[in-house]
Amino acid sequence: MTGRLTALEQATVPPSWWRWTVACLLAACFFIFPSKTLRAQTVYYAEQPSFLIPVYPDPNDKKTQALLLHVSEDLGKTYQFVATGGILQKTFSFRAPRDGWYWFSVQTQETGGALKPASMAGAPALLKVCVDTQAPSIILRQGPATKDGTLSVEWEARDENLDVASMRLEYRLLGAKDWLPLPSQQLQQGSHVWNPGTQSPLEVRLSVRDRAKNMGEQVLALGLKPGQVAPTTGDGRVPLIMVRSKRFALNYRLEDVGPSDVTRVEVHYTRDGGRTWGKYPMDAPKEPPCILEVPEEGRYGFTLIARSGVDLSEDPPKPGDSPHVWVEVDETKPLVRIIGVEVGRGPEQGNMTVSWSASDKFLGSTPISISYAQSADGPWTEAVKDLPNNGKFVWKLPPQGLPFQFSVRVTCTDMAGNQGMAQTTGPVKVDLSTPKARINSIEIAPVEGAVPAPPGVNPATPPGAAASPSVTGIPPGPPMGAAPPLPMTSPAPPPATGPPPAPAAATPGEISPPPGASPAPPPATGPPPVPGAAPASETSPPPGTSSALPLPPAPPAAGGAFVSPEAPGTSTSLGGTAAGQNNTRTVTDPHTHQWKCVGVHDGDTVTCINENNEQQKIRLAEIDAPELKQDFGQRSRDALASMVFGKTITVVDQNKDRYGRWIGRLYTDGIDVNRQMVATGYAWHYASYSKDPSLSVLMQQAKDQKLGLWGQGDPIPPWDYRKKKTTSTTSVED
């Protein structure tokens, strides 16, 4: 990647002692600008955190001995030393720890040791670099309905370095090959109205780049319900169907069959819009359906060619031909986040405003529904559905039938039927009335109805004090001048016999309770509910049908992978279950425990105490997190601690490893912790010790979105790190 020159700012001419110049920004291509002394500050935007900064010496400089590179992360207010180079230094290597602005300046050291300038305070920045690794976020939704055949869309693009001049709004008939541009205004937030001249379903696409060349894109389908097939029309347009699994059934019928019958049905496919075609190595069965399996998400075109007993058939597809049907495979769930839930007061009493953000590549015009439940675990009741994705809805609460407090869930369904969900972390209080107690009068109470004295208060009258028969339960005060009596306390219970239970000891470097704190009492006994499997996918082959035809491997550039077969004793659900979960795996006959987490060693190892106050160490199954001394090791541990530390969690153990640790899956607050660590980019899928191939899909999605450690370039897997680590007599636990 070559740093792109986007702007030049006028700067003061450097003083005479400034003989060395930071010249330009380099990346993957190592493109070098001409060696010239700069008279302007140069600004670049980089989509990668690592880059090279070349420097050029002054050929007349005979005094300089070394170069010192400094960087500022606060727009030049302060500088930090980065690296030292010799007089033959050509480039400095720099890796940004995070996205943001980095200003660079150079200090020289002369032969006698003198530094020029002596201080970096107020030093001019010779190079300004904005590191931006995130693509723009786009919200695209259908605008208000019209009656004259026109359509409207609204959008909002979010990015700190948005390049609005790169914005493109396009549309096409659903199933068509080419996109047609729309003459819309290039605005960060705007709308466009046009007449497509048809009532058929359409696709609208908005794309925009930021100044670092990261591309953001959003596709909106208009006039098509989830799972609906776009009908074939007289203009030869190809129908399109969206599915949420890489395995699906293709139904078909045979026409004009002669006496020689049909000997075979060939399956031809295209992955590039019809420019090239391939053929499955196996034929489809003579009787439908044909179960197909593709290696990855994307749009596929399929054409069936039937051959008679005398080898007559239609011509197979050639480059440029359209398929019989398009299939869009989309297994990615929409990303949903609840921004706020506000219960109205005053004139807004009786209303609840729910705010959210939801994004997905394939969203319809009304993908949002809102549900509520008295318990965070359900059951959930749908309050409203088919809402546009405009980020806010004011719900007029019914006067009766709702709990006084409940959890709220926002569900977004894409065109393939994938559902992304988010729910409030705690109950929302609908009854906002605050009861108040006020004393309005005092009366003498009769002796018979007196309120008894509180425990520990002596109602007897002290000697020498006048007794009042009309008031009981409140002892009179001490005589004048006497010291007030000491408060009465209950005697302390006798100490328990036997040694106290030993507290759970934390491993060095592990997150643990503060000194003197006692662990929480063990949770109530009884088997908790085991996370259940989701219902079987609607894409499973019908009973009695043939096995799936795997798509031939794609070229290396496609990067596809075949679905691995299921491991014995496990099953996978393709549909979502609890909020925020993806394809939950169910383990046959698990050993399930409810243990208190009292320590977090790193991103894949925790310490718990069981119901007997015994310490248990658990290694998270099927994932591998960075070691603590690796880059991102501390942040991975912190991410795990934020989910489990101090909580009673569900542990589904599998076995013990050679270090005596339990290997298991962790669940808390409706979250599969192992999957969450991979999905958020805080851990690798440990494929060598895993039977869950869906974790590889989650890891790839995190890499594509540059989440967590994947925003750091090309991180070293922890198993490679451990191999390189010198181990003399000490073993290294994985």
Side-chain angles (χ1 to χ4, degrees), residues 425-439:
T425 55
V428 178
K429 295 178 175 60
V430 181
D431 180 7
L432 300 181
S433 302
T434 304
K436 302 176 181 64
R438 298 291 185 266
I439 298 175

Side-chain angles (χ1 to χ4, degrees), residues 219-348:
V219 178
L220 176 66
L222 303 178
L224 188 66
K225 297 295 183 182
Q228 177 186 351
V229 181
T232 306
T233 60
D235 58 6
R237 189 161 43 86
V238 178
L240 178 142
I241 184 171
M242 302 192 70
V243 297
R244 59 181 180 182
S245 172
K246 293 192 286 287
R247 180 186 174 98
F248 50 89
L250 198 64
N251 291 304
Y252 55 93
R253 65 181 183 274
L254 299 176
E255 300 176 346
D256 300 329
V257 179
S260 63
D261 203 3
V262 172
T263 57
R264 67 180 188 272
V265 179
E266 300 172 351
V267 182
H268 297 257
Y269 68 94
T270 178
R271 301 184 62 183
D272 54 11
R275 288 187 289 273
T276 60
W277 284 86
K279 187 173 78 71
Y280 273 76
M282 297 176 61
D283 294 331
K286 291 174 59 176
E287 297 295 331
C290 173
I291 308 300
L292 298 178
E293 190 168 1
V294 296
E296 60 185 356
E297 293 182 315
R299 182 165 295 189
Y300 298 81
F302 294 99
T303 293
L304 300 182
I305 300 296
R307 293 192 177 274
S308 70
V310 294
D311 202 30
L312 293 179
S313 69
E314 297 178 297
D315 293 334
K318 58 184 182 298
D321 286 351
S322 296
H324 289 169
V325 65
W326 291 109
V327 177
E328 184 75 45
V329 179
D330 175 24
E331 292 184 323
T332 303
K333 296 185 177 184
L335 297 176
V336 185
R337 183 171 66 92
I338 291 182
I339 299 175
V341 178
E342 184 177 353
V343 179
R345 299 173 181 265
E348 294 297 323

Side-chain angles (χ1 to χ4, degrees), residues 531 570 581-587 590-593 618-623 649-655 662-668 671-676 678 685 689-695 698:
T570 62
Q581 293 189 15
N582 294 301
N583 305 345
T584 304
R585 177 159 307 275
T586 302
V587 181
H591 299 283
T592 306
H593 316 276
I618 300 99
R619 171 67 161 80
L620 275 66
E622 304 181 85
I623 73 171
I649 61 177
T650 300
V651 180
V652 181
D653 70 70
Q654 297 175 1
N655 51 25
W662 287 107
I663 305 297
R665 299 290 281 257
L666 308 186
Y667 301 88
T668 180
I671 297 174
D672 184 330
V673 177
N674 302 48
R675 297 175 63 84
Q676 187 73 3
V678 176
H685 174 211
Y689 297 91
S690 172
K691 297 180 180 179
D692 187 351
S694 66
L695 289 173
L698 291 179

Side-chain angles (χ1 to χ4, degrees), residues 511-699:
I511 296 176
S512 57
S518 300
T525 59
V530 179
S537 169
E538 67 207 26
T539 58
S540 301
T545 59
S546 60
S547 59
L549 299 180
L551 186 65
F562 286 92
V563 177
S564 300
E566 291 298 328
T570 62
S571 62
T572 301
S573 165
L574 293 174
T577 54
Q581 293 189 15
N582 294 301
N583 305 345
T584 304
R585 177 159 307 275
T586 302
V587 181
T588 306
D589 299 327
H591 299 283
T592 306
H593 316 276
Q594 293 249 310
W595 291 341
K596 175 85 171 182
C597 178
V598 296
V600 180
H601 174 66
D602 54 24
D604 55 32
T605 309
V606 301
T607 300
C608 295
I609 55 173
N610 62 14
E611 58 275 5
N612 298 322
N613 237 19
E614 298 170 336
Q615 180 176 333
Q616 307 287 337
K617 182 168 280 191
I618 300 99
R619 171 67 161 80
L620 275 66
E622 304 181 85
I623 73 171
D624 202 2
E627 299 295 328
L628 286 179
K629 293 185 179 180
Q630 281 188 262
D631 292 342
F632 227 79
Q634 297 283 349
R635 295 177 66 180
S636 175
R637 181 183 68 174
D638 294 344
L640 179 58
S642 69
M643 290 189 282
V644 301
F645 180 65
K647 298 181 181 180
T648 298
I649 61 177
T650 300
V651 180
V652 181
D653 70 70
Q654 297 175 1
N655 51 25
K656 282 191 174 183
D657 65 7
R658 63 182 183 272
Y659 306 109
R661 302 174 299 182
W662 287 107
I663 305 297
R665 299 290 281 257
L666 308 186
Y667 301 88
T668 180
D669 300 329
I671 297 174
D672 184 330
V673 177
N674 302 48
R675 297 175 63 84
Q676 187 73 3
M677 290 293 291
V678 176
T680 52
Y682 288 105
W684 276 262
H685 174 211
Y686 208 173
S688 299
Y689 297 91
S690 172
K691 297 180 180 179
D692 187 351
S694 66
L695 289 173
S696 292
V697 178
L698 291 179
M699 186 175 74

Side-chain angles (χ1 to χ4, degrees), residues 373-380 406-407 409 423-427 579 669:
Q374 191 164 1
S375 168
D377 298 327
W380 292 87
F406 50 82
S407 297
R409 171 184 287 179
Q423 66 188 60
T424 52
T425 55
D669 300 329

Side-chain angles (χ1 to χ4, degrees), residues 446-500:
V447 176
E448 294 79 5
V451 177
V457 177
N458 185 4
T461 304
S468 175
S470 59
V471 178
T472 61
I474 306 296
M480 199 66 134
L486 295 175
M488 299 182 66
T489 58
S490 301
T497 59

